[in-house]
Each structure stands twice: as C-alpha cells, then as structure tokens.
Amino acid sequence: MDNMVQRISVVEVESITADMLPSSPYCIAIEADFEMCGNEARWALAELLVKTDVMWVAGVGNQSSLLDDDVDMVCVNRQTVVDNDYIRFPDVMTTWHDDEPLEDVLEFMAITEFDFKEVWGVSKWDIIAIKVG
C-alpha cells in the first residue's frame, strides 16, 4: 500500500487549541480523562477537530468513548441538505481506548492500513498525540 505515516508527534498540554493542529488532513490520539473534562469542553474539542480536517480521532483514557461519540455526532450534524442536494463530508474514523497505553494506540494507528487516499485524497499524513492534563 502506498499510504504512509510521515511523522508522529507527542506533546503534553493543559488544553488543545486550533493553532496546535495541522492545516492538512491528519490523525490524532488524545489521552485524557474524558469524564472529568465536561460535556461542553469535550463537544467543543470534537467540533474543533472535525473543522480542522481530522481523519481519525483515537481517544485514550478514562471514558474515551465519550469523545468518540461527540466526534461522531459532530460529523452527523455537519451533513446537510442545500437546495435539495445532500452535501456529504468525508467520514472521520473514531476509536476509543479506555485501558490501553498511548504508545500502543500510536503503534496501532501507524500500522493500520486504512485507505485515507480514497476518502480524503491523501497518501501521507501525520499522527499527533496529545496528552491533556
């Protein structure tokens, strides 16, 4: 397969902002306690990620399926009908990993042979790992 990961970056931050995210399609693993971050903050994060052309969001940590659900709902909400034409955006792949270390999730993301070229038009991408806390 011609697809490949160009770079994996790991950073630790207190919060995630738009300037931390690439301007081209990317994959991200976020390690956090998603139960503690609150519904509004988690929803805002999901909206930010989808808006910045994330291709894959992997939540890592306590209740990471909550982020998975929020990203999925943001994607559903952005599909729309304009002048009787259904406008569909590329789907964002999501996974959650409540009991797996970030390093294992990154390894999984790096070797997965998902065809991002077919859906997103890219054959090379970055994986960003962010530890929030």
Side-chain angles (χ1 to χ4, degrees):
M1 183 174 281
D2 294 334
N3 297 343
M4 65 180 284
V5 173
Q6 293 187 129
R7 175 181 39 222
I8 298 176
S9 306
V10 180
V11 296
E12 292 187 39
V13 298
E14 289 298 316
S15 63
I16 298 173
T17 59
D19 62 331
M20 296 176 187
L21 304 174
S23 58
S24 59
Y26 65 99
C27 300
I28 191 166
I30 301 173
E31 180 179 75
D33 185 335
F34 293 98
E35 187 174 40
M36 295 299 292
C37 75
N39 293 339
E40 288 179 18
R42 204 175 46 250
W43 183 263
L45 173 59
E47 287 182 318
L48 173 65
L49 294 171
V50 171
K51 184 171 101 178
T52 59
D53 287 335
V54 69
M55 300 184 300
W56 182 356
V57 176
V60 182
N62 184 39
Q63 295 293 312
S64 56
S65 65
L66 295 171
L67 178 64
D68 178 272
D69 292 344
D70 286 347
V71 170
D72 289 346
M73 285 308 301
V74 168
C75 289
V76 167
N77 288 344
R78 78 177 174 162
Q79 310 304 331
T80 188
V81 176
V82 176
D83 297 328
N84 295 323
D85 289 327
Y86 181 67
I87 298 174
R88 189 170 192 286
F89 294 89
D91 291 325
V92 174
M93 184 163 66
T94 57
T95 56
W96 68 95
H97 310 269
D98 288 344
D99 298 320
E100 298 172 57
L102 180 61
E103 294 74 21
D104 289 356
V105 174
L106 291 174
E107 181 179 335
F108 171 69
M109 292 177 83
I111 65 171
T112 297
E113 293 188 11
F114 185 77
D115 189 0
F116 289 114
K117 187 170 188 169
E118 181 180 329
V119 177
W120 288 88
V122 297
S123 57
K124 296 180 177 130
W125 57 88
D126 292 340
I127 297 175
I128 300 168
I130 298 180
K131 297 180 180 185
V132 180

